[in-house]
Amino acid sequence: MRPAAPLAAVVVPVYNAGAFLPACLRSIAAQTLQDFRCYLVDDGSSDGSGELCEAAGREDMRFVALHQAQCGVSAARAAGLRAALADGARWIAFCDADDLFHPDLLRVLIGAARSAKMPVACCLYDSFSGDAPADLPARPAGARVLAAPAHLEALLHDHAVDFSLCNKLYSAEALTPADLDNGYAYNEDLLANWQVFSRLPGCAFVDFVGYHYRQHPDSASHRPLNPASLDDQRRAAIYIREHAGPEMQQSADAFYYEKLVYLASMILRRADAADYRVQFNELGVGIRAGLRDPRLGKNPRLALSIKAAAWATVHCTRLWAAVCRRLLRDRQ
């Protein structure tokens, strides 16, 4: 019989991840904190991933296989969270099916959250392709507390904290399935974290590389650019801008304008940029209108490099496109 209430739950959305799932599950099984339950949510896989989830459950009772028709990663995470909450898990972590946990991730993050008396703890992540990186011994120097609104500021602008759900651990009271299943296919993690963080007094941050993000041709950052991705990312930035409190408004405005400039650069770096003419023109209208706006292009929180990129996007588009193609490599 499984224990009634695991200390921690790990939610893994699984969709056609058979090539990488066994390594992911081994990294979770190797956690030095053993009191966990892992919910493998098979989201309508057709490559045998569902059978791998079932086999994991037979071999190790800490692993539970759940199956649903394909609904997307957000719905899969929400289904896993519902199961974890129903089982009484006190802490919730997420792992993508092609990535890896450091063996001390759960232990370190739970310890950090408890010591800082915060409902969320966050760690660093790294990226890899090919062989998995070697796990360095976990010797964090103690948790740094990001008290509100510094945790929201870090979510938007600090790449160490990042948008991801997967380099963080949450108390069971901190998030709901509705936070996760928000209707977004892209930047769904950013929006979920914004909604969760907005309700919290802050978070703990640990200078510890606890999550390994695998880079491969089918990973999210390497998929072909999708118009829906542009729309979702822009909508998420608009939502954040519209729902920011007074203490975060300037920062949210800067984040929104930076997102417009970034999305335009994603289009310009492509050989088929002409196919995205409608989306680029929409972004260009917003960038041009914001150049002299003290809340946008003249925002003191905006980096000089973003201000320069905004100007180049609308005033010397062809030259800037050549620079983007040469220097920016993701989503080619």
Side-chain angles (χ1 to χ4, degrees):
M1 297 292 292
R2 295 190 183 99
L7 176 62
V10 181
V11 176
V12 183
V14 179
Y15 177 70
N16 288 353
F20 306 113
L21 184 59
C24 173
L25 300 186
R26 287 194 297 272
S27 77
I28 296 171
Q31 289 298 291
T32 55
L33 185 146
Q34 292 287 294
D35 186 7
F36 71 85
R37 192 168 304 159
C38 181
Y39 299 86
L40 305 172
V41 186
D42 169 34
D43 188 42
S45 297
S46 58
D47 71 338
S49 292
E51 289 77 6
L52 290 175
C53 294
E54 290 289 342
R58 289 192 297 269
E59 295 169 6
D60 187 333
M61 293 185 68
R62 296 173 301 175
F63 289 81
V64 179
L66 307 173
H67 302 275
Q68 63 181 30
Q70 185 181 356
C71 298
V73 65
S74 296
R77 287 177 180 142
L81 176 60
R82 282 192 291 270
L85 295 177
D87 284 351
R90 284 173 277 171
W91 297 96
I92 313 294
F94 298 91
C95 186
D96 287 345
D98 49 357
D99 296 341
L100 303 173
F101 271 5
H102 186 288
D104 287 319
L105 181 136
L106 292 178
R107 179 182 64 80
V108 168
L109 289 188
I110 290 176
R114 285 174 166 170
S115 67
K117 295 181 172 58
M118 283 293 174
V120 176
C122 175
C123 68
L124 298 168
Y125 69 91
D126 60 13
S127 299
F128 74 100
S129 59
D131 294 337
D135 285 310
L136 299 176
R139 296 193 183 94
R144 177 163 56 98
V145 176
L146 300 174
H151 68 317
L152 287 168
E153 179 73 29
L155 179 67
L156 296 186
H157 301 291
D158 187 343
H159 290 297
V161 173
D162 200 65
F163 305 164
S164 177
L165 292 160
C166 294
N167 66 329
K168 300 174 180 67
L169 176 128
Y170 306 80
S171 70
E173 296 79 18
L175 75 171
T176 70
D179 293 322
L180 302 177
D181 197 5
N182 51 34
Y184 282 63
Y186 302 88
N187 268 187
E188 80 291 341
D189 46 0
L190 166 62
L191 187 57
N193 272 317
W194 174 263
Q195 291 170 326
V196 172
F197 276 35
S198 294
R199 300 192 296 263
L200 301 181
C203 74
F205 179 80
V206 187
D207 186 11
F208 155 68
V209 179
Y211 192 83
H212 305 305
Y213 176 36
R214 187 190 300 271
Q215 303 289 300
H216 60 89
D218 293 325
S219 63
S221 62
H222 287 79
R223 292 172 191 158
L225 184 62
N226 186 325
S229 166
L230 299 171
D231 293 341
D232 274 3
Q233 292 185 68
R234 187 177 184 184
R235 285 196 304 130
I238 291 171
Y239 179 94
I240 289 170
R241 189 183 186 203
E242 291 177 345
H243 291 81
E247 73 285 357
M248 281 296 298
Q249 192 61 64
Q250 188 179 70
S251 182
D253 289 343
F255 177 79
Y256 166 75
Y257 197 65
E258 181 175 349
K259 181 66 74 171
L260 296 186
V261 175
Y262 169 70
L263 294 177
S265 78
M266 290 180 70
I267 294 173
L268 289 175
R269 74 188 69 176
R270 296 183 58 83
D272 60 349
D275 294 344
Y276 299 86
R277 185 179 298 108
V278 171
Q279 291 86 357
F280 181 77
N281 287 341
E282 290 175 348
L283 294 167
V285 168
I287 294 169
R288 183 182 294 274
L291 281 176
R292 297 185 180 278
D293 189 334
R295 296 180 59 189
L296 297 175
K298 297 291 186 179
N299 191 317
R301 297 300 308 277
L302 204 64
L304 180 60
S305 59
I306 301 299
K307 294 178 181 180
W311 186 91
T313 299
V314 298
H315 289 297
C316 49
T317 307
R318 289 186 179 180
L319 177 60
W320 180 236
V323 172
C324 290
R325 285 194 294 270
R326 183 173 181 83
L327 298 181
L328 306 176
R329 298 297 182 183
D330 63 312
R331 295 185 188 269
Q332 290 284 356

